[in-house]
Amino acid sequence: MKSGLRVADEIRQSVPFRSPSQEALVSLMRTADEVRRFLTRAIGEEDVTLQQYNVLRILRGAGEEGLPTLEIGRRMIERQPGVTRLIDRLIRKEFVARRRDRIDRRKVVCSITPSGLELLDRLDARIDGTDGAVLEALQVGELHTLIDHLDRLRAGIRTEE
């Protein structure tokens, strides 16, 4: 099994962490940043960000009916306040379409376009390969343990918005 540098060495920290909790949190944040950079390189040839890719995946999963903008925001991996602007950019690129709900005219519903689906088709294989490359250092049992630990961490800090 491949062993990496400890986070303190990676960030060239000269004083010890105040606690194992602090070290774990810094390590988690550093790892998330590295994974984000790795994924960004994987989709780099296409004209989308990771957040836009996430919106497209959400809308593909929603099917032809689409989803209201607020629901898209709730389902995003990285929640952010500017979901409308994110969708506006995808509309300009013709990957997403927006329409008023037939019943509740106040509700705006978004759906993925055929060109958005084509983009996801091109990206899926690259992202699937990236998933494996990022996590290849862990065995299947370790992956399940990691998933469980991360789920418990999120449950402990969950905030409703």
Side-chain angles (χ1 to χ4, degrees):
M1 181 163 83
K2 197 162 63 171
S3 179
L5 285 175
R6 296 192 58 90
V7 72
D9 297 329
E10 265 188 42
I11 64 174
R12 295 178 175 92
Q13 183 162 327
S14 58
V15 296
F17 287 102
R18 289 190 307 273
S19 66
S21 295
Q22 184 187 47
E23 182 176 5
L25 189 57
V26 169
S27 184
L28 181 63
M29 292 169 61
R30 177 70 177 210
T31 303
D33 183 60
E34 290 293 328
V35 169
R36 193 175 301 108
R37 288 170 184 264
F38 198 79
L39 290 171
T40 297
R41 284 192 301 272
I43 65 170
E45 297 171 13
E46 301 292 346
D47 188 27
V48 291
T49 65
L50 283 177
Q51 292 82 9
Q52 291 170 345
Y53 174 71
N54 186 208
V55 168
L56 292 172
R57 289 185 59 222
I58 290 165
L59 290 174
R60 176 177 57 188
E64 292 180 14
E65 291 187 26
L67 287 172
T69 305
L70 290 175
E71 182 60 22
I72 294 168
R74 283 188 208 98
R75 294 183 184 198
M76 290 194 63
I77 294 170
E78 293 179 349
R79 294 183 185 185
Q80 56 187 20
V83 175
T84 301
R85 285 189 308 275
L86 193 60
I87 291 169
D88 288 343
R89 288 185 201 106
L90 289 168
I91 289 170
R92 283 193 297 274
K93 295 175 184 184
E94 300 181 351
F95 296 139
V96 169
R98 181 171 32 211
R99 62 178 161 63
R100 293 273 173 201
D101 186 78
R102 292 181 190 107
I103 298 166
D104 183 351
R105 302 287 298 153
R106 296 170 296 172
K107 191 187 301 181
V108 176
V109 178
C110 299
S111 56
I112 191 166
T113 65
S115 59
L117 289 170
E118 289 172 18
L119 172 66
L120 286 181
D121 284 344
R122 289 194 305 271
L123 289 174
D124 281 343
R126 275 190 256 163
I127 293 297
D128 289 347
T130 301
D131 292 348
V134 166
L135 297 167
E136 71 184 354
L138 300 178
Q139 296 175 358
V140 174
E142 293 172 314
L143 288 172
H144 290 294
T145 300
L146 175 63
I147 292 165
D148 180 58
H149 289 283
L150 294 172
D151 289 346
R152 288 174 39 208
L153 284 172
R154 281 192 319 284
I157 58 174
R158 178 84 37 168
T159 58
E160 293 301 319
E161 294 165 28

